[in-house]
Each structure stands twice: as C-alpha cells, then as structure tokens.
Amino acid sequence: MKVTLALLGGLVVLAVIGAFLSGGEPASRDRLAFTEDTSSSSPTEEVEAEAPVEDASATPTPSPTMKPRSYRGVGDKVVKVKETEDVLLATLTHAGGSNFIVEPVEPGGAEQASIVNEIGAYKGTVIVNEYEGKVLRGFKIKADGAWTLTLKPLTAARPWTAARVSGRGDEVLLVSPASSGLTTVKVNHSGSSNIIVDAYSEGDRDNLINEIGSYRGEVLLPDGTILVTVHADGRWTFTKD
C-alpha cells in the first residue's frame, strides 16, 4: 500500500495508491500536512517495536525505505534523529509517576507542539511532524521514569479492516477499504479524560468526537476516510455499520 498525504488549497489530501492489502512497497515519503491546531493528545495500546532498541544518543542510519527505530532512556533526554520532513508514527511508553512530556524538535532547536503530555504511566501511538513546513530533527523528553520511543513510517499504522476495532488510549488507524457512502460508527469510551477522534479523507479533516470522560454515541464516518486518529485515556470500541 502507498499512502501520500499533502497540502492542497489549505486542506488535507490523502491519495491512496493501490489496495491496502495489495502487498506493494510503502511509499518512501509519507506526508500529512495541514494547518497546526492546539488539540491535545492522550494514551493507547503499544505497538511492539520491530527494530533493536538503541541508546537515546544514537542516530538512525538512513535507508531508502524507513525501518522502525527504537530508543530508550530514563528521565529527561534529548533524542537526535535523522533530519526528515516525513510524517511518522511514534509509539511511546513511560513507567514513571510524574509528568511525561514529549516535544518534537526542529533542526534549529525550535520545539513543535507536544505529542504527549501526560502524568504517570503511558502507552500510545501518535502522529509526528504532520504540520506543513515542519522538519523533524529530534525529541525533547521530560520524564521521571524509564521510557521508550519507536519511530515508524505512517504506513505501519494499525489497520482497521473489520467492522469492529477496539483499543486503549492513543492510536492511529488506517481504514481499509476507505469508507464509502453513508457509514456510521458506534463509539464507546470508558475513560475519565478526553476522547478526541479525527477522520482524514481526501481534501479534508473532520473532528468526530471531542468529549471528556465516558462516551457512548454514533457518528458519521466521512466518505473516503482512510486515516483515523484516537486520543483517549481509557478503553474504546468503534463499530462500523
């Protein structure tokens, strides 16, 4: 599967080339670009690292097709990565009891908006470097315990292929096949903090849910949706109809 995401007329564009399960090679450069907002993030099920764990000071070696790269540390650190404009997935864990804040850093040292800002233990997968014009060079990590960071290409997002999908905390889902026609989704969330769900389709991004605490309801999945991001602190279930 190849997924290309770019800015066109100020809107998000997702061009999906080939079927999700066609077995094609991932695109060498995935790009999701849109005007930066101030949406906050929260936790999900960790995706297992598919690459050796390295020291936080290590820098991944470049490769034509990005492979997952993992880092670990304890407490506050600055992790340097190979400079890239690509949109990536970041799976993170934290075993501490205090603040866990992760901010992408640009080549000149400017900090992007935090991708994680939580207290205590955390497991989650989020999008990194999605805003137009941003260049990723590292991560500023504030933590009081042990943490891990795994970077992966956007095409490695968890597939949503059946009618029902469930998880816990932050997650990024690739909808396959893309939604078509009038599609509704029943949503259940058992957490106590925010649940924020966004859907990305060709030419647009739609906020489907932005609530606090437990939630049960039904929402419309926009026609052509290929990517869904979930920010939550509890267990959730989505069921398409």
Side-chain angles (χ1 to χ4, degrees), residues 12-205:
V12 178
V13 174
L14 285 92
V16 181
I17 306 174
F20 180 73
L21 296 177
S22 64
E25 290 297 322
S28 60
R29 177 175 175 179
D30 297 318
R31 188 66 191 166
L32 167 63
F34 52 90
T35 305
E36 185 169 2
D37 61 24
T38 57
S39 298
S40 59
S41 59
S42 336
T44 172
E45 293 296 334
E46 179 188 9
V47 179
E48 291 296 324
E50 299 175 19
V53 174
E54 303 175 353
D55 183 78
S57 61
T59 301
T61 56
S63 59
T65 300
M66 178 191 172
K67 296 181 179 179
R69 306 300 294 179
S70 296
Y71 309 84
R72 66 183 175 191
V74 178
D76 295 354
K77 295 283 184 181
V78 176
V79 178
K80 294 180 181 180
V81 302
K82 179 176 173 60
E83 184 174 314
T84 181
E85 296 181 8
D86 293 355
V87 180
L88 303 175
L89 295 178
T91 293
L92 303 108
T93 70
H94 178 234
S98 189
N99 282 355
F100 181 52
I101 302 173
V102 181
E103 297 171 321
V105 178
E106 298 185 23
E111 299 168 7
Q112 297 182 18
S114 61
I115 55 174
V116 176
N117 189 340
E118 299 295 332
I119 296 176
Y122 176 86
K123 291 183 179 181
T125 298
V126 297
I127 291 178
V128 179
N129 207 44
E130 73 268 38
Y131 300 121
E132 178 69 7
K134 299 297 184 180
V135 179
L136 179 68
R137 184 61 177 88
F139 294 87
K140 177 183 174 182
I141 298 176
K142 179 176 178 59
D144 72 327
W147 52 264
T148 65
L149 164 65
T150 301
L151 296 178
K152 293 172 281 192
L154 189 61
T155 49
R158 179 181 173 188
W160 181 4
T161 57
R164 184 178 181 273
V165 64
S166 60
R168 182 185 181 93
D170 290 354
E171 187 65 276
V172 180
L173 304 171
L174 281 176
V175 182
S176 178
S179 62
S180 178
L182 186 63
T183 304
T184 59
V185 179
K186 293 182 173 63
V187 179
N188 287 296
H189 175 240
S190 61
S192 59
S193 188
N194 282 72
I195 175 170
I196 301 172
V197 180
D198 290 317
Y200 300 86
S201 55
E202 185 173 349
D204 209 355
R205 176 182 68 173

Side-chain angles (χ1 to χ4, degrees), residues 6-13 33 203:
L7 189 70
L8 179 61
L11 297 177
V12 178
V13 174

